[in-house]
Amino acid sequence: MSHEWPLWEIFIRSQHGLSHRHVGSLHAADAEMAICNARDVYTRRNEGVSIWAVRAADIAASAPGDKHPLFDPANSKIYRHPTFYDLPPEVGHM
Amino acid sequence: MYAQLVDTGLKKVAEASEMSADERAFQARVDADVKIEPKDWMPEAYRRTLVRQIQQHAHSEIVGMLPEGNWLTRAPSLKRKAILMAKIQDEGGHGLYLYSAAETLGVSRDDLVDDLHAGKVKYSSIFNYPTLNWADIGTIGWLVDGAAIMNQIPLCRCSYGPYARAMVRICKEESFHQRQGFDIMISMCNGTREQKAMAQDALDRWWWPSLMMFGPPDETSVHSAQSMRWKIKLVSNDELRQKFIDETVKQAEFIGLTVPDPQLKWNEARGHYDIGPIDWNEFFEVIKGNGPCNRDRVRTRKRAYDEGAWVREAAMAHAAKKAARQHAQAA
């Protein structure tokens, strides 16, 4: 009979001031073990100062099929970028 | 390589005219170097081939810990022992990165491990050879990890996102493996006559199996051609092998060792070394399960897994009990 440990997604903060970043996944029986395993699997060379472990089953993700309705509307809103605006050279850096 | 003779399950490379709209869109993304991610649509043959390839690769990392583990308790100094331990731990880590990448394709870890134990999926032929003297540990780092790097660097650009990302992590760690191996070889070649003879003996035994790691010539293989279209194989076996030979022969000369190939000769016109014939019968025998250590390797893995079963079950039971207790307290 299978007793496979649940899958956890691991996020590591590489140094103070940066946000946690997804580095991979691993199996563990509970959160405490997930953090211990993450230390061994993902930080053998000082890669991190903090670990988050999240059960993979608890992550909600957008579907690839929703890519167009979700992200296309941003394409036409070029006025959201600073480069949309031409400033007179006299104004200098802004 | 770490994944050898990966079967695509196809009889011929699919032409654009025979593809469905989904398949054409998929191939266009691959051609444009857009990474394929786990939830994206992909042809079933692509998914199955990747599972097979990544799984073989993962098993190779895990089984590859065994020949080196053989020398852990007999390393010649505390320094060498600490280094070897770190290297073997890395191999375990590499196996885990790769199993995780395979699991994104909808297979479970238990299934992958079962396939290895049942002999349904192979691991690299190279790990079926024994490690007879300490110089074998140097030679494995130098040649086997050297060959692995050559194969894995292009795979960092492969089409499947999770596999490519695992490869990036692995390649970063692999160069330490090769250097520590060559460092052992330098020490032994600068040592006593007996030590240098051990280094030569190790090179004599590992040279040809290392060249076989890249697999037989595959320029005419349907599976290789299809895998290349899918960009899960980026360079042909012979091209990688040649690159490996050209680099390694010079390194052997530097430490005063002789490559065990009387026909080895620099070919000025090609700008490469020519080598004598490779004994592919030996390769296929090893792949079939008749190498010096095949049975022993699988038996050892299976025993470790079976004897650890109670630990895995106890950890789950403990986690369930703890969760129930927390739940009761909260209520």
Side-chain angles (χ1 to χ4, degrees):
Chain A
M1 192 187 124
S2 172
H3 288 273
E4 193 166 291
W5 292 345
L7 192 67
W8 298 74
E9 297 300 332
I10 305 302
F11 300 79
I12 305 274
R13 188 207 295 284
S14 59
Q15 43 181 297
H16 287 292
L18 294 184
S19 51
H20 286 75
R21 205 174 146 197
H22 184 243
V23 292
S25 49
L26 50 77
H27 289 272
D30 59 20
E32 194 186 341
M33 190 194 284
I35 287 174
C36 289
N37 288 355
R39 169 195 172 271
D40 289 344
V41 179
Y42 293 109
T43 67
R44 287 194 301 280
R45 289 178 177 76
N46 293 324
E47 288 93 338
V49 295
S50 164
I51 298 170
W52 283 353
V54 183
R55 257 180 203 269
D58 289 341
I59 290 183
S62 61
D66 291 341
K67 211 168 80 185
H68 298 299
L70 283 176
F71 307 117
D72 283 359
N75 288 343
S76 57
K77 299 179 177 58
I78 48 172
Y79 44 82
R80 285 179 170 162
H81 298 278
T83 44
F84 179 74
Y85 303 93
D86 285 328
L87 285 186
E90 294 79 26
V91 179
H93 179 73
M94 182 183 279
Chain B
M1 207 50 240
Y2 273 23
Q4 296 159 326
L5 304 173
V6 179
D7 193 330
T8 55
L10 298 174
K11 296 265 184 296
K12 62 191 278 289
V13 177
E15 301 294 334
S17 57
E18 305 157 333
M19 292 181 183
S20 68
D22 278 341
E23 282 168 341
R24 267 199 302 274
F26 171 85
Q27 189 60 49
R29 292 184 67 193
V30 171
D31 292 343
D33 285 327
V34 176
K35 289 272 183 270
I36 306 302
E37 295 295 340
K39 288 187 167 181
D40 293 339
W41 186 89
M42 60 186 84
E44 182 53 22
Y46 174 85
R47 194 191 69 82
R48 261 187 290 119
T49 306
L50 261 182
V51 169
R52 220 169 282 148
Q53 177 172 339
I54 300 174
Q55 184 185 6
Q56 269 198 37
H57 199 154
H59 296 329
S60 298
E61 302 282 357
I62 300 296
V63 176
M65 296 164 84
L66 300 176
E68 298 191 300
N70 183 37
W71 280 90
L72 257 186
T73 55
R74 288 172 288 159
S77 68
L78 184 58
K79 181 185 105 175
R80 293 292 185 199
K81 183 176 182 162
I83 292 172
L84 184 57
M85 195 108 81
K87 184 199 187 264
I88 295 174
Q89 195 189 8
D90 274 355
E91 306 298 359
H94 296 177
L96 293 179
Y97 306 155
L98 288 161
Y99 282 131
S100 300
E103 286 174 86
T104 63
L105 292 158
V107 287
S108 83
R109 178 76 59 94
D110 281 352
D111 290 342
L112 298 174
V113 172
D114 284 348
D115 283 352
L116 171 69
H117 294 171
K120 275 196 244 165
V121 175
K122 308 283 183 213
Y123 51 89
S124 175
S125 55
I126 195 79
F127 300 117
N128 292 310
Y129 291 86
T131 40
L132 302 180
N133 87 50
W134 170 252
D136 287 36
I137 299 304
T139 311
I140 287 181
W142 171 35
L143 298 185
V144 175
D145 289 276
I149 292 173
M150 224 144 248
N151 177 261
Q152 289 170 168
I153 287 181
L155 283 176
C156 295
R157 294 180 281 115
C158 79
S159 61
Y160 189 56
Y163 191 28
R165 291 191 283 272
M167 280 296 117
V168 171
R169 295 189 65 87
I170 289 174
C171 285
K172 271 190 201 160
E173 298 177 348
E174 203 79 71
S175 124
F176 140 62
H177 298 178
Q178 191 183 18
R179 284 184 182 212
Q180 66 86 34
F182 196 61
D183 190 58
I184 292 175
M185 297 310 273
I186 291 177
S187 297
M188 295 196 74
C189 289
N190 289 336
T192 62
R193 201 146 27 114
E194 287 81 3
Q195 285 169 330
K196 186 157 184 188
M198 286 165 76
Q200 182 65 54
D201 170 52
L203 176 60
D204 289 348
R205 283 179 290 106
W206 288 93
W207 174 256
W208 291 107
S210 298
L211 298 190
M212 292 173 201
M213 275 179 78
F214 295 93
D218 62 342
E219 273 73 7
T220 56
S221 156
V222 169
H223 302 307
S224 293
Q226 181 60 63
S227 290
M228 282 185 160
R229 280 216 71 187
W230 281 333
K231 293 191 185 171
I232 55 179
K233 179 184 180 82
L234 292 112
V235 186
S236 81
N237 294 351
D238 277 338
E239 195 180 334
L240 284 172
R241 183 166 25 243
Q242 185 69 60
K243 198 166 171 240
F244 174 77
I245 294 165
D246 292 345
E247 280 189 18
T248 317
V249 169
K250 288 183 205 124
Q251 293 159 356
E253 279 169 7
F254 177 79
I255 49 178
L257 294 181
T258 308
V259 171
D261 178 359
Q263 296 182 51
L264 181 80
K265 209 172 76 226
W266 177 254
N267 183 328
E268 192 65 51
R270 287 203 311 131
H272 292 294
Y273 281 96
D274 290 338
I275 62 164
I278 296 176
D279 179 5
W280 291 112
N281 282 337
E282 175 180 330
F283 172 80
F284 286 112
E285 278 304 311
V286 174
I287 285 281
K288 263 193 278 173
N290 301 324
C293 303
N294 295 58
R295 284 173 203 83
D296 188 50
R297 297 288 185 242
V298 174
R299 201 186 308 130
T300 307
R301 280 310 316 151
K302 208 170 159 332
R303 193 176 60 220
Y305 189 77
D306 291 344
E307 289 179 359
W310 71 272
V311 179
R312 294 191 298 277
E313 286 164 25
M316 276 308 279
H318 177 69
K321 191 178 76 179
K322 229 171 43 176
R325 198 179 294 148
Q326 272 168 4
H327 197 74
Q329 273 170 2

